[in-house]
Amino acid sequence: MAHVKVYGRRSAWGHRRAEVSDALHAALVDAWGIPSTKRFHRFLLLDDEDLVAPRGHDYLVVEVVAFTGRSPAAVRALLAAMTDDVAPALGLAPDDLEVVVLESPPTHWAIRGTTGDALQLDYRVDV
């Protein structure tokens, strides 16, 4: 289980949502084995004056919210995919992509009428 929140300037990213979503999802599928059908992305695009950061106009922040259980190596693999694959695919300078992985126990999630620890998934989260 992984949910992705994308923050950026609407003027830079509003017309590129599908492209961004495709690049991010490919990284999650490759690095973590997320099924291709399990895409949960939210775009929280801001007016230029609402994103204050000492970075370029295309600055993008990505939060990946996931169950705990993935190894440090798996988290590093996802972050490497973001840097090595996603950033170049989107034409981003290294300084213009920041990614954070936020994990919480499955007991802290409610999904499809049950808690995450009781959820029957068809993929592993303990990679």
Side-chain angles (χ1 to χ4, degrees):
M1 179 61 59
H3 283 239
V4 178
K5 293 188 267 182
V6 179
Y7 300 88
R9 288 180 178 86
R10 183 173 288 106
S11 61
W13 298 106
H15 63 287
R16 297 180 68 188
R17 285 183 190 97
E19 178 186 0
V20 173
S21 181
D22 288 347
L24 294 172
H25 197 58
L28 284 159
V29 169
D30 290 345
W32 282 2
I34 299 289
S36 60
T37 58
K38 301 293 182 181
R39 186 185 301 216
F40 297 95
H41 297 177
R42 291 184 289 289
F43 285 82
L44 304 148
L45 301 178
L46 305 167
D47 293 334
D48 286 359
E49 62 273 7
D50 292 330
L51 181 59
V52 180
R55 300 287 187 259
H57 181 74
D58 292 338
Y59 178 64
L60 200 62
V61 178
V62 176
E63 291 181 2
V64 179
V65 183
F67 288 167
T68 54
R70 290 178 178 86
S71 68
V75 173
R76 280 190 212 94
L78 178 63
L79 296 175
M82 295 290 181
T83 301
D84 298 342
D85 301 331
V86 174
L90 299 177
L92 287 170
D95 281 353
D96 282 337
L97 178 64
E98 293 190 13
V99 181
V100 61
V101 176
L102 304 171
E103 297 180 306
S104 63
T107 55
H108 289 56
W109 291 62
I111 302 169
R112 296 190 301 234
T114 189
T115 58
D117 61 328
L119 191 64
Q120 298 297 313
L121 296 174
D122 56 356
Y123 58 96
R124 294 180 57 191
V125 298
D126 60 345
V127 295

